[in-house]
Amino acid sequence: MVSIQEIEAGLAQAAEHGNTSRQQLMAAVRTLDNMLSQLHAVSAGTGHHLVSEAIGRCEQAKRQLEESAGLIHRAGESTRRYAGILG
């Protein structure tokens, strides 16, 4: 049988993995921000549909990454709350 301490350690490790994943997602969001800035800068004055499509897809990807980061954050909070109940 697994001890409470082993469960708590496993929960702490899982929460840390989630935190690392969230940080990586937020780094990807910042990279997409840079991409969007560059797209806006180089496409100023052009109304080409492919540039608009690229911008729209980047914005969609950014929203999805932010949503994923939020879900991971809330999962980590739940994990920490459960660990608090155990100990």
Side-chain angles (χ1 to χ4, degrees):
M1 181 185 278
V2 179
S3 71
I4 296 293
Q5 291 80 16
E6 291 170 319
I7 293 171
E8 288 174 337
L11 290 170
Q13 186 176 26
E16 185 57 35
H17 287 303
N19 189 44
T20 299
S21 295
R22 184 176 177 276
Q23 289 172 356
Q24 291 170 340
L25 286 173
M26 295 313 296
V29 167
R30 289 188 296 276
T31 301
L32 281 173
D33 277 334
N34 291 337
M35 183 179 181
L36 282 163
S37 294
Q38 289 175 331
L39 283 171
H40 284 292
V42 299
S43 66
T46 67
H48 200 278
H49 72 281
L50 290 175
V51 174
S52 297
E53 183 180 313
I55 290 170
R57 289 177 191 247
C58 284
E59 289 172 345
Q60 180 182 9
K62 181 181 167 186
R63 284 190 302 274
Q64 290 175 344
L65 288 171
E66 289 169 335
E67 181 181 342
S68 295
L71 290 169
I72 291 169
H73 177 73
R74 289 188 293 281
E77 287 177 339
S78 295
T79 302
R80 284 185 286 281
R81 283 196 316 266
Y82 179 61
I85 290 169
L86 293 177

